[in-house]
Amino acid sequence: MDTLDAIAARRSIGRLVEPGPTPAHLRSILEAAACAPDHGELRPFRFTVLEGVAKECFGHVLEEAYRARCEIEGVAVEEAKATKDRTKLGRAPTVVIVAAARQEGGSSKMQIPMIEQVAATAAACQNALLAATALGYGSMWRTGDCCYDEPVKAALGLSERDAIVGFLYLGSATPEAAAAKPPKVADLEGLVTHWSPS
């Protein structure tokens, strides 16, 4: 698929089914992600792949993080929400958690701000989504409160200064879901200014 076609065709599909990416396709998707623009060549990207029983186990991490958040905030646990957090990784065959692991220095020996490392990791997410689309898979980039929970970061081997940028859900779109999400028609109205000196 042509790059511009993949950009237009990429859609957020909330529920994905088997087949998920093959091992070779998943590697291609992650290699595309790792090619993202990266100030200082710091490679802050970290990719954690969840498939099969790993999704179920990590679902318990998400549920416990939700329960801990409720305790800290002094609010009652909603059991429906706890169940949703535990089972939501089941919405796709493959889930890739993408994080920015803060790096010091760089090839230029200057300190690259964390916001730029997060931006590079967000670019890695977009590269992954476009690669998945080009390979014929559906995808969804999800975030939420769990991205900011320290127990979730700890379960991934991240420190509190690192950032979870997204959960990428990968799989196949049902014909109905694909039909409901036609390619975008780009609308630049109100978005573009051609600056000139006054």
Side-chain angles (χ1 to χ4, degrees), residues 69-141:
R69 191 182 329 124
C70 288
E71 184 174 342
I72 290 168
E73 295 172 359
V75 299
V77 170
E78 297 177 31
E79 290 302 328
K81 169 72 171 138
T83 298
K84 183 178 179 181
D85 276 13
R86 187 180 70 251
T87 60
K88 65 186 176 183
L89 299 177
R91 296 173 183 161
T94 301
V95 179
V96 179
I97 306 173
V98 185
R102 184 184 178 98
Q103 304 296 304
E104 304 297 336
S107 60
S108 61
K109 302 303 181 193
M110 64 181 286
Q111 181 58 46
I112 308 301
M114 185 57 178
I115 190 170
E116 294 191 27
Q117 297 185 43
V118 170
T121 305
C125 288
Q126 179 70 347
N127 277 9
L129 297 179
L130 294 177
T133 301
L135 291 168
Y137 298 103
S139 63
M140 181 79 175
W141 181 349

Side-chain angles (χ1 to χ4, degrees), residues 17-31 49 51 93-96 131-132 135-138 170-172:
V17 297
E18 295 283 0
T22 65
H25 283 170
L26 181 58
R27 182 175 181 86
S28 294
I29 290 167
L30 297 177
E31 286 175 343
V49 178
E51 295 177 307
T94 301
V95 179
V96 179
L135 291 168
Y137 298 103
L170 304 171
S172 297

Side-chain angles (χ1 to χ4, degrees), residues 33-34 38 40 66 105 187:
D38 172 19
Y66 164 69
D187 179 8

Side-chain angles (χ1 to χ4, degrees), residues 28-61:
S28 294
I29 290 167
L30 297 177
E31 286 175 343
C35 287
D38 172 19
H39 188 184
E41 299 179 358
L42 295 180
R43 297 172 50 82
F45 330 116
R46 297 295 180 271
F47 308 110
T48 302
V49 178
L50 302 176
E51 295 177 307
V53 70
K55 289 188 302 175
E56 294 177 32
C57 292
F58 204 82
H60 289 286
V61 172

